[in-house]
């Protein structure tokens, strides 16, 4: 952890022996962090929470369902900190509505048996522009970019110009703009909340992206 913009770093210890695979922050509570850990003891595996920037941790739930690879990710809803999403060990997605204490599988529509981590980051992205009642969430996978919206609750491939293939990263911006990085097809952009997509080619000279990051400007 760094508190001086990266000039110096100090380790934040795991609460017990194990490996932390992903940290997710609460957008409304800057000192609150969530972590999924695979503990050396099975009872210490699951979701942990810190209210003080990682100085101390409490275990919210005991489970080995939360995956153990670099493709792991979690996200906290920007309006309701009780709503959390996390990718699962079986390549599905889990959701909690009570702050991480209990979880349910929300993988309807995902071909979990065909999804894989491999070199894919699989980082979940919440569309902060959608309302809580119609929240959209994106899941980049080796089979393409999947999206899920409330209250329908079923995952579907994003289409209408976006190829089906290795989608490694997605970035949701303001104004309905979304970027998707497909490692075998190129960088794509939507200007209408994902309804249609076009490839970004000018200046890229055929380069294939692995990640995409957007600034506020």
């Amino acid at each position: 952890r760094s508190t001086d913009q990266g000039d110096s770093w100090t380790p934040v210890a795991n609460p017990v022996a194990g490996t932390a695979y992903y940290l997710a922050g609460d957008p409304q509570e800057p000192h609150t962090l969530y972590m999924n850990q695979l503990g050396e003891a099975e009872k210490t595996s699951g979701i942990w929470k810190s209210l003080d920037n990682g100085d101390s941790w409490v275990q919210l739930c005991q489970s080995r369902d939360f995956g153990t690879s670099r493709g792991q990710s979690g996200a906290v809803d920007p309006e309701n900190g009780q709503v959390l999403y996390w990718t699962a060990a079986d390549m599905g997605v889990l959701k909690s509505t009570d702050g991480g204490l209990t979880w349910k599988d929300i993988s309807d529509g995902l071909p979990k048996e065909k999804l894989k981590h491999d070199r894919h980051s699989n980082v979940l992205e919440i569309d902060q522009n959608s309302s809580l009642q119609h929240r959209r969430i994106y899941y980049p996978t080796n089979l393409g970019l999947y999206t899920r919206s409330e209250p329908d609750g079923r995952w579907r491939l994003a289409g209408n110009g976006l190829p089906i293939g290795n989608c490694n990263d997605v970035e949701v911006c303001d104004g309905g703009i979304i970027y998707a990085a497909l490692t075998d097809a190129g960088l794509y952009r939507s200007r209408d909340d994902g309804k249609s997509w076009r490839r970004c080619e000018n200046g890229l000279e055929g380069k294939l992206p692995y990640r995409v990051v957007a600034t506020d400007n």
Side-chain angles (χ1 to χ4, degrees):
R1 179 181 63 196
S2 174
T3 58
D4 53 13
Q5 298 181 335
D7 286 338
S8 61
W9 293 81
T10 56
V12 179
N14 290 345
V16 292
T19 301
Y21 282 93
Y22 196 84
L23 289 173
D26 187 332
Q28 292 188 329
E29 299 291 340
H31 303 297
T32 298
L33 299 171
Y34 294 88
M35 170 184 69
N36 79 291
Q37 174 171 285
L38 182 68
E40 288 189 5
E42 184 170 347
K43 66 180 181 180
T44 61
S45 296
I47 299 294
W48 292 71
K49 181 179 182 179
S50 172
L51 296 174
D52 52 15
N53 290 322
D55 287 335
S56 62
W57 295 84
V58 294
Q59 188 173 12
L60 298 178
C61 75
Q62 175 187 336
S63 176
R64 298 175 70 88
D65 293 336
F66 292 93
T68 58
S69 84
R70 56 185 167 181
Q72 193 61 28
S73 77
V76 184
D77 191 273
E79 290 183 53
N80 185 348
Q82 292 296 299
V83 178
L84 287 76
Y85 301 89
W86 223 280
T87 52
D90 65 357
M91 298 303 298
V93 179
L94 302 172
K95 179 181 180 180
S96 174
T97 58
D98 57 10
L101 297 175
T102 61
W103 297 78
K104 67 176 181 178
D105 190 294
I106 58 164
S107 304
D108 186 30
L110 291 174
K112 294 190 292 185
E113 69 283 354
K114 297 180 180 179
L115 299 180
K116 58 183 179 180
H117 288 307
D118 195 20
R119 296 178 62 213
H120 306 280
S121 59
N122 300 118
V123 175
L124 297 173
E125 179 86 352
I126 296 176
D127 184 353
Q128 70 277 2
N129 304 302
S130 59
S131 66
L132 183 63
Q133 294 75 22
H134 298 87
R135 184 68 76 213
R136 286 189 298 272
I137 185 169
Y138 294 90
Y139 183 22
T141 76
N142 58 297
L143 297 181
L145 178 61
Y146 279 86
T147 179
R148 177 185 187 272
S149 298
E150 299 288 2
D152 173 61
R154 181 176 177 81
W155 293 94
R156 292 178 170 82
L157 277 171
N160 200 8
L162 188 67
I164 296 175
N166 295 311
C167 184
N168 199 71
D169 197 17
V170 60
E171 182 85 358
V172 178
C173 309
D174 291 336
I177 297 176
I178 307 171
Y179 295 94
L182 282 80
T183 55
D184 54 2
L187 178 65
Y188 283 77
R189 179 183 62 207
S190 172
R191 294 183 180 272
D192 53 11
D193 293 314
K195 297 181 180 66
S196 62
W197 299 80
R198 292 189 64 180
R199 186 177 181 183
C200 301
E201 300 182 86
N202 189 15
L204 291 178
E205 300 173 348
K207 293 180 174 64
L208 299 176
Y210 185 70
R211 298 293 302 271
V212 57
V213 177
T215 68
D216 291 335
N217 298 321

